[in-house]
Amino acid sequence: MKKIKVLMVMIMGVISINTNAQNLVLWGTCCFGGTNGYGSIFQIDSSGNNFHIVYSFDSTNGFPHDNMIQANNGKIYGLGGTTYGIYERDYIYEYDPIANTATKVHDFNQDTTNGFITWSGMIKGLDGKLYGLCDSGGMYHNGVIYSFDPNTHNYTNLFSFNDTLGGHPQGRLLQLNNGMLYGMTFNGGAFGFGVIFSYDLTANNYMDIKNFDSTTGAKPYYSTLIQATDGKLYGMTELGGLFDGGVIFNYDVTSNIYTDIFDFDCSNSNGCRPLASLFQASNGKLYGFTYTGGGSLYGTIFIYDIITHTYTKRYDFDLTNGNGSNPTGSFVQAGNNLFATVQCTNLNYGLGVAIKLKLSTGVAYIIENFITDSCWLSAGDFLATTIDTGIPYINNNEGFNLFPNPFTSQTTLTLQGTYHHPSLFIYNLLGQEVQNIYAGSNKQIVINRNNLPGGMYFYKLMDDDKQVIGTGKMVMW
């Protein structure tokens, strides 16, 4: 049974400062909470502040969950359900960040023969289509590989698992540059412990390329394969290995060689039973979580060096200190930090926490505690998108001040220097101008929300000669 994960979302500030500022944005959902109680999409800035909900789902498309993905059309796609429970994962929704609307675009439970129950979200393929896995349904009731066209909303069952060659996949797919899809199943295969498979989209050909066994790894749960910088695929299993606590493995797609490279031992404090996926950071090392074990038995953060083949436990989760427990998610990198969320099953300490891990020190920090009235009980990792705002960023805010920020209905920009008839231009995350205000000789510029959707915006202050005085960012609740 899948353990509930709380999804943390962050909207990052300007990461690199140049004439065409690139902004890393992290998105996500909560299954419950929001204005209507049916879940929400929310954002937090890169320092962990300014948590705010940007969209609240309703009863027609409620309970979003699992990972989201941005398609080439700029819209964001995710999974949700109209009831909560084992069969809640029954539709694909499309979120338009400009119009701030979400629409159901495919209903799994209306056609269970083509697949239903999805655990870990979709990926964007090289052809622009979205690809995913269903745990159940299909011709043999063991799940399917499917594609979804975000432009036409066409859903296609590409392959039905039959248990003999693998069944009930619960992670995400991986597509390599050669176009091949790779993934894992939780059950089935020669020994019943799941398989690694490949799927050729061009030839419509499925291959069982590795049968998991109790000796070298068994039962990959929500785990997704990653391709590391050495070209090999890396993943984890929940069970199997020398101590039956799960393994870290790699698979060489060129030589078809599978290697169990680390065995988790539940009898020591290093952690065991990893449920989700590895992440390779910019320093080349792999970062991940174990679901149990560690000093307090509530799971760990660990690092694995693929060059030296060394495993290092970095952090122990301890429910009694309110820092979460039993992590089932994966990391995403923003700047020199890794971000993730961890569930917390003790209501005395909230309904989940978001953490930041500094690559330079390996120290983890709690940056957000989730509460019932805003956002809680979600599943999925961060969605990171890079958006070019087209706004030159000048680190020169000494001449003006914006307060309050964040704000709900209006805020005031106070000019503290002497400028020649400045004007203020406001842009959304896609660099589109949504408002402009002429200040003239006024020392204060009042910015009214004017029905703009909640979220982060960028502003640019210019004089009447079109010289940029400075820029900044604002958040509307």
Side-chain angles (χ1 to χ4, degrees):
M1 186 75 174
K2 183 176 181 179
K3 302 295 182 181
I4 299 297
K5 296 180 285 182
V6 177
L7 175 66
M8 151 73 189
V9 174
M10 297 185 169
I11 180 165
M12 308 301 295
V14 178
I15 302 300
S16 59
I17 298 176
N18 49 42
T19 56
N20 289 302
Q22 292 286 325
N23 298 282
L24 184 64
V25 180
L26 303 183
W27 304 78
T29 60
C30 276
C31 191
F32 294 103
T35 303
N36 305 309
Y38 290 96
S40 59
I41 298 174
F42 64 96
Q43 303 172 346
I44 303 179
D45 68 27
S46 58
S47 63
N49 299 318
N50 298 324
F51 173 89
H52 62 288
I53 295 170
V54 298
Y55 179 80
S56 293
F57 290 85
D58 56 33
S59 59
T60 63
N61 60 1
F63 307 120
H65 52 78
D66 297 335
N67 297 309
M68 299 191 295
I69 189 71
Q70 186 175 38
N72 290 339
N73 60 13
K75 297 178 181 179
I76 293 172
Y77 295 82
L79 302 163
T82 53
T83 59
Y84 188 76
I86 186 64
Y87 295 108
E88 86 277 17
R89 295 162 175 81
D90 63 357
Y91 73 87
I92 300 172
Y93 65 84
E94 175 184 84
Y95 174 69
D96 187 331
I98 303 301
N100 196 34
T101 57
T103 307
K104 183 188 296 186
V105 290
H106 175 75
D107 196 328
F108 288 102
N109 283 351
Q110 293 298 316
D111 185 11
T112 58
T113 59
N114 280 320
F116 68 107
I117 303 182
T118 58
W119 291 113
S120 299
M122 300 176 286
I123 65 167
K124 183 174 70 174
L126 298 174
D127 58 3
K129 292 182 180 179
L130 308 183
Y131 292 90
L133 297 166
C134 287
D135 169 85
S136 299
M139 186 180 300
Y140 308 104
H141 312 293
N142 279 274
V144 307
I145 303 172
Y146 69 85
S147 69
F148 179 79
D149 190 322
N151 296 316
T152 64
H153 295 172
N154 286 335
Y155 172 95
T156 304
N157 175 1
L158 299 174
F159 176 80
S160 293
F161 292 95
N162 62 8
D163 190 63
T164 301
L165 298 177
H168 300 292
Q170 296 180 356
R172 294 191 304 279
L173 292 162
L174 168 71
Q175 186 174 35
L176 301 188
N177 289 334
N178 60 9
M180 296 284 288
L181 297 177
Y182 290 84
M184 297 183 286
T185 68
F186 182 70
N187 292 328
F191 308 108
F193 294 112
V195 307
I196 301 175
F197 65 84
S198 66
Y199 185 79
D200 188 327
L201 288 169
T202 302
N204 296 320
N205 182 48
Y206 173 95
M207 290 186 63
D208 168 5
I209 59 177
K210 162 65 184 177
N211 289 279
F212 288 108
D213 58 64
S214 60
T215 304
T216 60
K219 298 282 188 178
Y221 220 134
Y222 319 125
S223 186
T224 297
L225 295 167
I226 67 168
Q227 186 175 36
T229 49
D230 61 4
K232 296 179 181 179
L233 306 186
Y234 286 81
M236 298 190 290
T237 66
E238 180 195 3
L239 302 174
L242 186 60
F243 309 104
D244 199 28
V247 308
I248 302 173
F249 66 85
N250 65 34
Y251 179 81
D252 191 320
V253 294
T254 302
S255 62
N256 298 319
I257 294 177
Y258 171 97
T259 306
D260 169 7
I261 59 176
F262 181 80
D263 296 275
F264 292 96
D265 185 354
C266 293
S267 66
N268 62 33
S269 65
N270 277 332
C272 67
R273 295 188 61 204
L275 297 191
S277 308
L278 293 163
F279 177 80
Q280 187 175 34
S282 57
N283 60 13
K285 297 178 181 180
L286 305 182
Y287 290 76
F289 297 97
T290 65
Y291 180 72
T292 60
S296 300
L297 303 181
Y298 288 110
T300 68
I301 298 173
F302 67 84
I303 305 171
Y304 186 82
D305 192 320
I306 63 175
I307 303 299
T308 62
H309 303 290
T310 55
Y311 175 97
T312 305
K313 183 184 73 173
R314 178 53 65 185
Y315 185 79
D316 286 305
F317 291 98
D318 182 358
L319 185 61
T320 60
N321 289 331
N323 67 358
S325 68
N326 308 115
T328 57
S330 302
F331 282 111
V332 164
Q333 184 169 352
N336 293 316
N337 300 308
L338 302 182
F339 295 91
T341 55
V342 179
Q343 70 181 48
C344 185
T345 56
N346 187 333
L347 295 182
N348 292 328
Y349 295 102
L351 294 165
V353 297
I355 61 172
K356 175 175 72 175
L357 186 145
K358 288 189 175 182
L359 289 178
S360 58
T361 62
V363 177
Y365 303 87
I366 304 298
I367 57 174
E368 181 68 28
N369 286 278
F370 293 93
I371 56 177
T372 57
D373 60 351
S374 61
C375 197
W376 57 288
L377 290 183
S378 285
D381 303 326
F382 298 103
L383 165 66
T385 66
T386 301
I387 300 174
D388 188 347
T389 67
I391 304 173
Y393 189 91
I394 298 177
N395 190 16
N396 177 25
N397 288 347
E398 296 180 358
F400 55 88
N401 178 58
L402 182 73
F403 185 84
N405 188 21
F407 65 96
T408 302
S409 59
Q410 71 176 35
T411 186
T412 301
L413 185 76
T414 301
L415 305 178
Q416 298 167 335
T418 300
Y419 306 107
H420 194 258
H421 301 297
S423 293
L424 182 71
F425 299 85
I426 301 173
Y427 305 83
N428 62 25
L429 286 174
L430 298 182
Q432 298 167 328
E433 183 182 317
V434 296
Q435 194 176 145
N436 66 76
I437 305 169
Y438 175 67
S441 59
N442 296 324
K443 287 291 186 179
Q444 288 189 330
I445 303 174
V446 176
I447 303 166
N448 291 301
R449 182 165 182 162
N450 291 338
N451 297 319
L452 290 173
M456 179 176 286
Y457 293 81
F458 296 90
Y459 62 86
K460 177 169 58 177
L461 191 65
M462 302 179 68
D463 64 20
D464 60 357
D465 291 325
K466 303 301 182 183
Q467 297 298 310
V468 177
I469 299 169
T471 65
K473 56 188 176 183
M474 64 179 71
V475 175
M476 300 180 188
W477 293 110

